[in-house]
């Protein structure tokens, strides 16, 4: 029995179990429901507005962008919170005390947060098809594009969440260090306001990070080819999307294991105890 | 497996410095196979630091440490499989059940199972041993503090460790849970031959559980011996009280037997209400810690007496 392969198998089982437990938890159901209702309410309220310079309706344009943004947001903030939390509550330390435990833990996290996207996408996509017309213009080929953009986007952003969760000093700091920059980045990435409406340097910043490209990729999957005229360079820039997201995925692949190892090395029982005492202070 | 007489833990000249603060200044001790050793000491003496260095969770500043024949700072996963650590956590895995979690965590030990030393422990046996059978399918988030600690213990021993570390295992236990836990430690030590190193604040617990007690004060081991041996090391270890002619007398002595004999020779039947009270481990502990913390280094010979 190869212990590493065995640990990865246990990690996959762990991720699957966590996913099932999350589906059964009212807290997480509430989160999915809230995200679904909020997105659909926004789209429904703007169902008759047209996108300037095209004959597209807002929901048609905004839906893929929002899906892309939620994907990027979810898999950065989700793992960042989970990791920061589980560093403090002792989950991580438990795995550190097991042979090959960290490999299993990280595998579990990767699977759990990837699977966590499915219900989020479903609660938005399914009602959208019932409420709006012409949501998907490209048929089967469009869905294939959705699949590869989602997978590549996941590879590009999930490691960033893991890195964030490893370096923040405490759970309370995930808000300032993680939430805030990600929200700003989402806002400038052409999800709600077309990117061309931003200042030039902001456009450059937005195009460095994955969020813009995931949104662009999703639009290329859902919208008719004619709609590419609203994008920078009048094109979906598919090659560039693959390149940028691929570069981020590579970055994650190289950096994340190092950051995780450093974090694991610094995890100890006294650290968990300090966090517990700090948390009790908050409650009091 | 270590050869029979090789100590499972050997610590020599262990030092730990945080910034300019020396926590451990030269700790030496050994734990032998099958022994239950208890590390006592005041808050901030470095008990937790010592244990975490032995667990491989903290990198020492100096000295030599061998645990199951390896340096814990460099030891790999095969070593990890032989060591058990009972951790105090508080809200992790709230949605899981004890059964599901133990099954998941125990799985990591399966590749290290051998015919003579099967790993992990059988789940039902383990649940029964720590007293969690009835609550095995409840959500962990709904367990009481005591039940949670039983689960912590179960997670620490699930891999059937040869050496087990326990850092203040009974903090927050009620008396019943404490007694159950002591029984469990005896069982692991007697039936399974597990070597155990634990820290505690509870002197009665140390006396009940430990084959040997180490007192850590001022950054080093100031005493090493059984509870009995330690109490003998402190001057005036017994207190003799008696009444004669309606008056109460108290006398502190190192050796109570000859004193009492002389007392009877002198006064015979006039002596009533005779009481001989040996110094408790608590008296010894407080005397020793005070002596070392006040910086009086004239007594280190004490540590040698019991070797």
């Amino acid at each position: 029995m190869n212990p590493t392969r065995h640990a990865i198998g246990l990690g996959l089982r762990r991720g699957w179990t966590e996913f099932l437990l999350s589906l059964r938890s009212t807290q997480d159901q509430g989160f999915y429901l809230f995200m679904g209702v909020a997105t659909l309410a926004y789209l429904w309220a703007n169902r008759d507005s047209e996108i300037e310079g095209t004959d597209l309706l807002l929901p048609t344009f905004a839906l893929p962008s929002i899906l892309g943004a939620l994907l990027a947001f979810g898999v950065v903030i989700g793992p960042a919170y989970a990791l920061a939390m589980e560093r403090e509550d002792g989950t991580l330390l438990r795995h550190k005390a097991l042979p090959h435990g960290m490999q299993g833990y990280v595998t579990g996290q990767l699977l759990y947060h990837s699977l966590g996207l499915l219900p989020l996408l479903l609660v938005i996509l399914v009602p959208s098809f019932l409420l709006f017309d012409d949501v998907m213009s490209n048929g089967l080929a469009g869905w294939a594009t959705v699949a590869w953009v989602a997978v590549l986007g996941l590879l590009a952003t999930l490691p960033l969440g893991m890195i964030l969760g490893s370096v923040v000093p405490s759970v309370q700091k995930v808000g300032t260090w993680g939430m805030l920059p990600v929200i700003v980045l989402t806002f400038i990435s052409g999800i709600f306001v077309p990117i061309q409406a931003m200042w030039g340097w902001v456009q450059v910043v937005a195009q460095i990070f994955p969020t813009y490209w995931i949104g662009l990729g999703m639009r290329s999957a859902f919208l008719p080819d004619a709609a590419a005229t609203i994008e920078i360079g009048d094109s979906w820039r598919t090659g560039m999307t693959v390149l940028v997201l691929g570069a981020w995925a590579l970055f994650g692949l190289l950096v994340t294991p190092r950051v995780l190892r450093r974090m694991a090395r610094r995890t100890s029982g006294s650290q968990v105890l300090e966090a517990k005492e700090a948390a009790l202070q908050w409650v009091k | 497996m270590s050869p029979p007489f090789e100590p499972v833990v050997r610590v020599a000249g262990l030092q730990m410095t945080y910034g300019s603060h020396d926590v451990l200044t030269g700790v030496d001790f050994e734990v032998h196979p099958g022994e239950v050793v208890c590390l006592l000491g005041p808050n901030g003496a470095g008990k937790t630091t010592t244990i975490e260095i032995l667990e491989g969770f903290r990198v020492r500043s100096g000295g030599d440490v061998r645990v199951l024949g390896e340096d814990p700072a460099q030891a790999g996963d095969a070593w990890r499989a032989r060591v058990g650590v009972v951790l105090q956590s508080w809200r992790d895995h709230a949605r899981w059940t004890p059964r599901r979690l133990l099954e998941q965590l125990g799985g990591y030990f399966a590749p290290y199972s051998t015919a003579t030393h099967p790993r992990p422990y059988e789940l039902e046996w383990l649940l029964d041993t720590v007293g969690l059978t009835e609550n095995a399918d409840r959500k962990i988030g709904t367990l009481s503090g005591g039940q949670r600690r039983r689960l912590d213990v179960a997670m620490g021993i699930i891999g059937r460790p040869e050496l087990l570390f326990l850092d203040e295992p009974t903090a927050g236990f009620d008396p019943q849970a404490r007694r159950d836990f002591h029984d469990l430690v005896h069982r692991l030590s007697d039936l399974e031959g597990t070597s155990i190193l634990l820290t505690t604040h509870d002197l009665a617990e140390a006396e009940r559980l430990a084959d040997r007690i180490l007192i850590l004060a001022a950054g080093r081991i100031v005493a090493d011996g059984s509870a009995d041996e330690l109490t003998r090391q402190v001057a005036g270890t017994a207190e003799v009280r008696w009444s004669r002619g309606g008056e109460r007398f108290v006398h502190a002595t190192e050796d109570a037997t000859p004193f009492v004999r002389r007392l009877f020779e002198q006064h015979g039947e006039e002596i009533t209400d005779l009481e001989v009270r040996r110094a408790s481990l608590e008296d010894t502990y407080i005397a020793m810690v005070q002596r070392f913390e006040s910086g009086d280094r004239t007594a280190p010979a004490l540590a040698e007496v019991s070797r």
Side-chain angles (χ1 to χ4, degrees), chain A:
Chain A
M1 200 180 320
N2 177 322
T4 303
R5 220 173 310 145
H6 181 72
I8 288 172
L10 285 168
L12 292 176
R13 229 160 56 211
R14 176 183 174 81
W16 178 248
T17 307
E18 293 249 274
F19 176 61
L20 293 183
L21 291 173
S22 150
L23 286 185
R24 263 183 250 154
S25 118
T26 40
Q27 199 188 342
D28 290 15
Q29 288 165 357
F31 167 77
Y32 290 132
L33 203 66
F34 170 79
M35 293 308 279
V37 169
T39 308
L40 292 170
Y42 170 75
L43 296 178
W44 182 253
N46 296 290
R47 64 189 178 280
D48 294 326
S49 6
E50 277 185 20
I51 301 292
E52 248 176 272
T54 66
D55 51 2
L56 290 174
L57 291 174
L58 184 127
T60 319
F61 168 83
L63 179 69
S65 306
I66 290 175
L67 289 181
L70 283 178
L71 187 151
F73 186 81
V75 296
V76 172
I77 295 304
Y81 262 113
L83 215 57
M85 188 90 96
E86 298 191 340
R87 237 167 59 198
E88 292 192 352
D89 71 17
T91 306
L92 206 83
L93 191 61
R94 278 203 198 295
H95 285 85
K96 203 180 148 182
L98 299 169
H100 295 277
M102 280 306 292
Q103 289 162 344
Y105 174 77
V106 172
T107 309
Q109 285 282 310
L110 293 175
L111 181 65
Y112 171 53
H113 292 291
S114 307
L115 289 174
L117 278 179
L118 292 177
L120 190 61
L121 298 185
L122 284 180
V123 292
I124 294 170
L125 269 178
V126 172
S128 294
F129 270 91
L130 301 175
L131 290 174
F132 310 112
D133 300 325
D134 305 326
V135 172
M136 170 53 88
S137 313
N138 302 317
L140 223 53
W143 287 113
T145 309
V146 172
W148 76 251
V149 170
V151 170
L152 199 56
L154 207 64
L155 292 174
T157 47
L158 189 51
L160 300 181
M162 302 285 269
I163 293 173
L164 199 62
S166 306
V167 298
V168 288
S170 69
V171 176
Q172 287 89 16
K173 298 278 162 60
V174 177
T176 18
W177 289 45
M179 216 53 149
L180 214 60
V182 175
I183 287 176
V184 170
L185 199 62
T186 307
F187 184 75
I188 63 171
S189 291
I191 306 299
F192 300 104
V193 184
I195 192 165
Q196 291 92 329
M198 302 277 167
W199 297 314
W201 67 270
V202 177
Q203 291 187 32
V204 173
V205 171
Q207 289 181 66
I208 293 173
F209 290 97
T211 308
Y212 167 77
W213 298 99
I214 298 172
L216 180 65
M218 286 293 179
R219 287 197 291 279
S220 81
F222 283 91
L223 303 185
D225 276 345
T229 51
I230 53 170
E231 303 292 345
I232 295 174
D234 295 339
S235 147
W236 297 123
R237 293 196 283 169
T238 306
M240 197 63 184
T241 306
V242 173
L243 211 65
V244 175
L245 294 181
W248 277 104
L250 189 67
F251 170 81
L253 199 68
L254 294 178
V255 174
T256 319
R258 261 167 243 195
V259 176
L260 284 173
R261 230 172 281 145
R262 175 175 160 276
M263 173 206 62
R265 218 174 24 243
R266 289 152 52 125
T267 303
S268 70
S270 14
Q271 196 192 23
V272 170
L273 205 66
E274 272 165 37
K276 178 179 180 177
E277 272 154 21
L280 292 177
Q281 291 287 318
W282 277 82
V283 176
K284 279 175 197 165

Side-chain angles (χ1 to χ4, degrees), chain A residues 1 3 6-7 10-11 13-14 17-18 21-22 24-25 27-28 85 88-91 93-101 104-105 112 265 267-270 272 275-276 279, chain B residues 48 52 55-59 77-78 80-81 83 85-93 95-96 100-101 103-112 139 148 151-152 155-156 158:
Chain A
M1 200 180 320
H6 181 72
L10 285 168
R13 229 160 56 211
R14 176 183 174 81
T17 307
E18 293 249 274
L21 291 173
S22 150
R24 263 183 250 154
S25 118
Q27 199 188 342
D28 290 15
M85 188 90 96
E88 292 192 352
D89 71 17
T91 306
L93 191 61
R94 278 203 198 295
H95 285 85
K96 203 180 148 182
L98 299 169
H100 295 277
Y105 174 77
Y112 171 53
R265 218 174 24 243
T267 303
S268 70
S270 14
V272 170
K276 178 179 180 177
Chain B
T48 298
E52 287 189 349
E55 289 165 348
F57 289 169
R58 204 170 270 278
V59 179
D77 291 290
R80 186 56 74 198
V83 175
V85 178
V86 172
L87 298 162
Q88 284 198 37
S89 59
W90 40 307
R91 60 174 186 204
D92 62 294
H93 296 99
R95 292 172 183 171
W96 293 62
R100 201 178 270 144
L101 183 58
E103 205 172 353
Q104 154 81 203
L105 299 183
Y108 286 92
F109 293 93
Y112 301 93
K139 273 190 187 167
R148 218 177 143 151
L151 179 62
D152 286 339
M155 286 191 261
I158 191 167

